């Protein structure tokens, strides 16, 4: 085991953003390495996830089960790391790989009940930072994809959507359609990630593109965006269509505002006449699902039946720019900050 340094680095919120955060809203601080108290584990982090909903924590609100932060405090976020020290009887030992929610720092002291053992359940440990379990839960517990379904995924190139299309296909969907922000991403969706068609935001009305891609309508919507794309899905829905709403990127990644409101005008007539089912879903409400997802994900990865699209930015100093990458939609899949070994 490497020796524990006397100091480490953590990313703190420097100021509450007045729109999308920029690098100057963060600071990378060199601070004393934390010492674990009773019932705490010291973890050396290997990597952490950067995702759009984290904006809510920067304005003091909770997001995805994470607490709000104030200027001067380190940011939270899903992380994987290696146990350095653990209390007797905790069930953890030095060297164990664990997951927890205190990313954005090189070392973290985590309550025993805030750590989960990861072992070798996935061929690449970083895959534990995927948001595929959100997509998996939404498509199995909220709407239950059925063989032959036509499935629409909005924000299909994002951390959730880039896995959702593949998962829908593996669950038996007959046709999978995604929406995204560029022709380049659309090409990757259809050539690499299991989508039959991809609609490009800004390339014409989404409703018209969707009508062309799914002339017989859609059975399932997994919506991460809201706005015009949700409106188009209502228009294209077949009778008894099932919609699961898991995000509001139209607000979270808007150039103005703080991502706390995502108003959209929906026509209630087709919702009522078609008996469309709308279900809001948060994977954090289903902690028992994570084990089932990890088992299936690991099997699919080893069999080559699924990809984990992501980009890794090396070093904690890259973290302030990583959120900007997410906000600007530079990448397909998850954005992960990988920390240098100590």
């Amino acid at each position: 085991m490497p020796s524990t340094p006397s100091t480490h680095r953590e990313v703190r919120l420097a100021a509450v953003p007045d729109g999308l955060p920029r690098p100057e809203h963060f600071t990378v601080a060199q601070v004393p390495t934390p010492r674990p108290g009773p019932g705490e584990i010291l973890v050396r982090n290997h990597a952490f996830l950067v995702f759009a909903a984290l904006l809510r924590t920067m304005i003091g609100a909770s997001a995805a089960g994470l607490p709000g932060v104030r200027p001067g405090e380190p940011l939270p976020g899903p992380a994987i790391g290696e146990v350095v020290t653990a209390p007797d009887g905790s069930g953890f030992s030095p060297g164990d790989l664990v997951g927890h929610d205190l990313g954005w720092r090189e070392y973290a002291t985590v309550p025993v009940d805030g750590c989960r053992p990861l072992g070798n359940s996935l061929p690449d440990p970083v895959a534990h930072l995927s948001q595929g379990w959100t997509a998996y839960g939404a498509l199995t517990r909220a709407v239950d994809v059925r063989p032959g379904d036509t499935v629409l995924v909005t924000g299909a190139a994002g951390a959730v959507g880039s896995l959702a299309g593949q998962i829908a296909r593996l669950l038996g969907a007959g046709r999978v359609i995604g929406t995204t922000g560029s022709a380049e991403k659309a090409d990757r969706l259809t050539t690499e990630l299991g989508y039959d068609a991809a609609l490009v935001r800004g390339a014409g009305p989404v409703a018209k593109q969707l009508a062309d891609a799914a002339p017989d309508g859609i059975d399932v919507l997994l919506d991460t965006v809201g706005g015009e794309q949700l409106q188009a899905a209502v228009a294209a829905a077949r009778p008894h269509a099932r919609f699961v709403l898991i995000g509001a990127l139209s607000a979270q990644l808007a150039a103005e505002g703080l991502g706390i409101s995502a108003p959209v005008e929906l026509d209630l007539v087709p919702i009522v006449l078609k008996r469309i089912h709308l279900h809001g879903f948060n994977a954090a409400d289903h902690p028992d699902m994570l084990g089932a997802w990890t088992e299936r994900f690991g099997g699919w990865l080893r069999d080559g039946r699924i990809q984990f699209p992501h980009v890794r930015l090396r070093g904690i100093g890259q973290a302030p720019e990583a959120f900007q990458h997410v906000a600007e939609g530079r990448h397909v899949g998850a954005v992960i900050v990988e920390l240098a070994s100590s």
Side-chain angles (χ1 to χ4, degrees), residues 78-119:
I80 60 168
E82 176 184 1
V83 172
V84 178
T85 63
D88 293 340
S90 66
F92 293 95
S93 301
D96 287 350
L97 185 69
V98 295
H100 61 88
D101 287 329
L102 292 177
W104 294 77
R105 67 205 79 187
E106 293 175 320
Y107 284 82
T109 51
V110 187
V112 169
D113 61 4
C115 275
R116 65 181 189 280
L118 301 180

Side-chain angles (χ1 to χ4, degrees), residues 280-306:
F281 181 83
N282 188 326
D285 294 335
H286 303 269
D288 62 302
M289 179 186 68
L290 184 56
W293 157 247
T294 301
E295 181 177 356
R296 295 196 80 171
F297 189 32
W300 286 337
L301 284 170
R302 292 184 174 91
D303 292 344
R305 300 175 69 192
I306 198 169

Side-chain angles (χ1 to χ4, degrees), residues 139 143 150-154 218-224 229-230 233-234 241-245:
L139 295 173
V143 294
T150 294
V151 177
L152 172 66
V153 178
T154 65
I218 64 170
D219 301 291
V220 171
L221 167 71
L222 188 153
D223 185 33
T224 70
Q229 296 173 55
L230 178 55
V234 170
R242 292 101 64 204
F243 287 12
V244 55
L245 315 180

